[in-house]
Amino acid sequence: MSVRFVPILCAVGLLTFAGCGPAKLDVTLTLSLEAGRPKGQILEVQKKPQKVTIEYTSSASEVSVYVFKTSDADALEEPEKYKDKALATKTGKSETFAVEVPANVEVQVVFWSLKKTEVSVKLTNRK
């Protein structure tokens, strides 16, 4: 192999990895919610915008789900009070919805309920 082709191959390899888009998100978890006490899941910062799909099912009662920028610290502690700052919100016992997350922004998906409940959650960014 000619020496001049080595830099070209390296460049092609780097460009291939750089253009892959956001890392794959595939998180499944179960959260135990206490009445009136929020719990959240921080999503890894991505260099490109992504569409995150949130699927959840509650065992006992309706749940409110909010997607906040982690920089909105007050909203993370009292999601009902600051719901107007949320990138997306949904309320129900079982729902699936998607939210557009901007590039280079850390977000947290926050779950809140008036009653004690178990919530099964699946977070993905696959199309």
Side-chain angles (χ1 to χ4, degrees):
M1 182 183 302
S2 174
V3 175
R4 65 181 174 181
F5 287 115
V6 172
I8 293 171
L9 288 174
C10 289
V12 170
L14 287 174
L15 289 174
T16 301
F17 287 115
C20 289
K24 290 186 179 168
L25 173 67
D26 191 6
V27 175
T28 302
L29 58 121
T30 301
L31 299 171
S32 296
L33 297 181
E34 296 295 325
R37 306 216 45 197
K39 276 199 179 174
Q41 176 69 34
I42 295 175
L43 303 184
E44 190 174 319
V45 175
Q46 299 295 320
K47 292 180 182 179
K48 295 187 177 191
Q50 63 179 326
K51 184 176 189 175
V52 174
T53 301
I54 301 162
E55 181 179 341
Y56 69 94
T57 302
S58 171
S59 64
S61 65
E62 279 196 345
V63 174
S64 295
V65 181
Y66 309 90
V67 181
F68 290 110
K69 293 178 183 176
T70 304
S71 60
D72 291 329
D74 292 340
L76 303 175
E77 296 298 318
E78 296 182 79
E80 282 291 293
K81 184 176 178 182
Y82 295 98
K83 61 185 168 190
D84 57 319
K85 290 186 173 187
L87 298 174
T89 63
K90 201 61 140 174
T91 300
K93 197 165 178 182
S94 181
E95 296 283 340
T96 300
F97 68 102
V99 59
E100 295 290 335
V101 177
N104 300 310
V105 174
E106 184 176 69
V107 296
Q108 184 167 356
V109 183
V110 178
F111 298 85
W112 182 87
S113 178
L114 285 171
K115 298 179 181 178
K116 184 177 179 176
T117 189
E118 297 283 321
V119 183
S120 299
V121 181
K122 182 161 178 81
L123 306 169
T124 62
N125 65 353
R126 296 185 182 163
K127 295 181 180 182

